[in-house]
Amino acid sequence: MKAARRVPLLKKMLAQLGIEEERVRLDWVSASEADRFASIVNEMTEQIKQLGPFNRNGGGNDG
Amino acid sequence: MAKPQVALYWAASCGGCDVAVLDTNEKILDIANIADIVFWPIALDFKYHHVEAMKDGAIDLCLFNGAVRSSEQEKIAKLLRAKSKVMVAFGACACFGGIPALANFTNRAGIFERAYIEAESNDNPDSTYPQTLVKVPEGELELPELYDTVLTLAQVVDVEYYVPGCPPPVDIILKTIDLFATGRLPPPGSVIASDKTLCDECDRIKGEKKITRIYRPHEITPDPERCLLEQGIICCGPVTRGGCGLRCIKANMPCRGCFGPPPGVTDQGAKLVSAIASIYQGESEEDIARMVEEIVDPAGTFYRFGLADSMLKRKRMQPPEGRA
């Protein structure tokens, strides 16, 4: 349950820091849901590929 | 034997660190007895060219306060580094970026826009911004270049010791001077403060950490005896190094994190997200949404002093906006 509270708070903070929401995802999968697990991982991978590599400063310099 | 040579400098800071050195009161005379202060812009009339004329390593101890956010500050940081045997990041800004590093939520263009155009008190019809070089009839005028990103001292030069705090408390300043004067400085890289968290040193009554509402400091008069976190006030004590003498806590105010992360913690803000979300009670979506809403400014609260030193270091600006 702690994770269910941590992740939304983390997402709010990451948004303030200019990180795309799509880079963080929390989902719940049972050990018996292999297909669901695989499809979520594939979805996430596809989404990150579309976003491209994470560039720390995204254009800011000197740092 | 010649007295050790000591230099003090201020970069992006408020001057409070220099005042803290003076707050040592009569002990300042002891410092002057054991050392020659060869450079201290706030108090003594030495110029940059005096430092430039020194031999490399001529300064035994340099107490450098303030973050680095301009070409002048970077130049002097590198100059003092070359001239100093021991470089100390003195105060929260030099150690972690401090309050000036909150500028890392924007960049130079954003800062100039706010300060010189938008600010309500401005009268700037020609939209004039500061220029690094301006030609006037008498010649060229130069200003240092402001950087997009506020940096910690250690991001610019090698640093031997860290003395945290906003400002460093007098007892830690005197301890640093004493360790230096008696040749008992710890291994390079050490932080001269406590190795415990502020919570470990706090003497408030602690019970079970369970909260159902977050209060901002102005919304509540806290019980002066009980743990502030348990009263729903965001206190950075669990993720902040101790040694400060509980200055804020004794004034019934929560810890803001100016001593930086304790040993073993790399990212103070991420750690506090974890801690606060853990003790908040409620499992429904509404409860969680309420908690997220009650924490109005998580990044600004959790990285109040540490943004430049955090894992992300700054807000990620979308190109090409960040290219100034």
Side-chain angles (χ1 to χ4, degrees):
Chain A
M1 269 329 291
K2 287 180 181 175
R5 292 191 295 265
R6 282 172 179 159
V7 172
L9 183 57
L10 179 67
K11 281 188 165 187
K12 180 175 182 177
M13 190 169 88
L14 289 178
Q16 288 181 287
L17 290 161
I19 312 264
E20 301 94 336
E21 202 190 331
E22 297 82 5
R23 288 191 192 272
V24 185
R25 174 170 173 179
L26 174 68
D27 229 312
W28 310 91
V29 185
S30 147
S32 64
E33 297 175 308
D35 289 348
R36 191 169 131 76
F37 177 77
S39 75
I40 288 174
V41 171
N42 285 335
E43 267 175 46
M44 185 77 191
T45 311
E46 195 46 45
Q47 206 165 52
I48 296 296
K49 275 184 184 160
Q50 278 176 16
L51 282 172
F54 178 75
N55 170 331
R56 188 189 291 260
N57 286 340
N61 53 20
D62 317 315
Chain B
M1 199 178 97
K3 284 185 191 177
Q5 313 273 295
V6 174
L8 296 93
Y9 187 67
W10 56 348
S13 65
C14 66
C17 285
D18 284 311
V19 174
V21 174
L22 295 172
D23 275 345
T24 54
N25 295 329
E26 72 282 358
K27 296 267 174 45
I28 189 83
L29 299 174
D30 294 344
I31 298 172
N33 267 334
I34 60 163
D36 280 332
I37 298 176
V38 295
F39 184 58
W40 192 7
I42 202 174
L44 303 169
D45 192 24
F46 293 108
K47 308 293 187 202
Y48 291 160
H49 67 80
H50 292 122
V51 180
E52 282 158 2
M54 294 176 190
K55 285 190 187 132
D56 283 0
I59 298 167
D60 294 284
L61 177 72
C62 178
L63 303 178
F64 190 108
N65 75 69
V68 177
R69 68 181 310 191
S70 78
S71 52
E72 180 185 12
Q73 290 157 358
E74 181 172 1
K75 186 178 146 202
I76 301 303
K78 287 180 172 163
L79 175 66
L80 284 167
R81 171 68 275 184
K83 305 296 177 190
S84 304
K85 291 193 184 80
V86 176
M87 177 63 101
V88 177
F90 189 83
C93 300
C95 291
F96 322 113
I99 296 291
L102 290 171
N104 288 357
F105 281 113
T106 176
N107 56 16
R108 175 173 53 202
I111 292 166
F112 279 7
E113 183 69 18
R114 175 65 201 156
Y116 297 104
I117 307 295
E118 282 174 12
E120 290 71 10
S121 57
N122 276 348
D123 180 14
N124 184 4
D126 300 330
S127 296
T128 307
Y129 292 102
Q131 304 294 318
T132 49
L133 211 58
V134 175
K135 285 198 171 98
V136 292
E138 293 78 11
E140 282 188 342
L141 296 176
E142 263 186 80
L143 275 180
E145 180 194 359
L146 189 79
Y147 294 161
D148 276 325
T149 300
V150 178
L151 305 167
T152 71
L153 182 61
Q155 286 165 357
V156 178
V157 297
D158 289 336
V159 169
E160 271 85 25
Y161 300 104
Y162 300 85
V163 176
C166 182
V170 166
D171 63 324
I172 289 189
I173 298 173
L174 292 174
K175 183 181 167 190
T176 306
I177 300 289
D178 183 55
L179 290 172
F180 165 72
T182 55
R184 290 181 298 133
L185 280 168
S190 297
V191 179
I192 301 176
S194 169
D195 281 340
K196 295 179 178 172
T197 65
L198 177 122
C199 276
D200 284 335
E201 298 182 345
C202 181
D203 49 11
R204 283 179 178 248
I205 299 161
K206 296 176 192 112
E208 208 173 355
K209 297 235 174 331
K210 283 186 175 173
I211 54 175
T212 50
R213 201 201 134 167
I214 307 273
Y215 293 92
R216 303 177 83 185
H218 66 275
E219 293 174 330
I220 186 174
T221 305
D223 178 338
E225 308 285 328
R226 284 178 53 226
C227 169
L228 289 158
L229 208 47
E230 287 169 20
Q231 298 181 62
I233 299 159
I234 295 176
C235 179
C236 300
V239 298
T240 301
R241 187 184 287 271
C244 58
L246 307 171
R247 292 177 294 184
C248 300
I249 304 297
K250 282 180 180 160
N252 213 15
M253 288 299 283
C255 170
R256 308 292 176 110
C258 76
F259 264 52
V265 173
T266 40
D267 195 287
Q268 208 178 4
K271 202 77 181 168
L272 201 54
V273 165
S274 167
I276 301 280
S278 298
I279 62 170
Y280 200 89
Q281 302 301 299
E283 307 193 342
S284 69
E285 273 185 32
E286 295 80 53
D287 290 335
I288 294 169
R290 197 179 65 242
M291 175 197 75
V292 171
E293 198 185 308
E294 284 170 4
I295 302 171
V296 176
D297 176 14
T301 308
F302 301 162
Y303 293 113
R304 184 179 269 111
F305 290 92
L307 187 54
D309 191 46
S310 69
M311 279 174 74
L312 290 168
K313 297 189 171 56
R314 64 164 359 278
K315 180 180 176 183
R316 193 161 161 265
M317 310 302 282
Q318 293 308 313
E321 193 189 337
R323 298 255 180 244

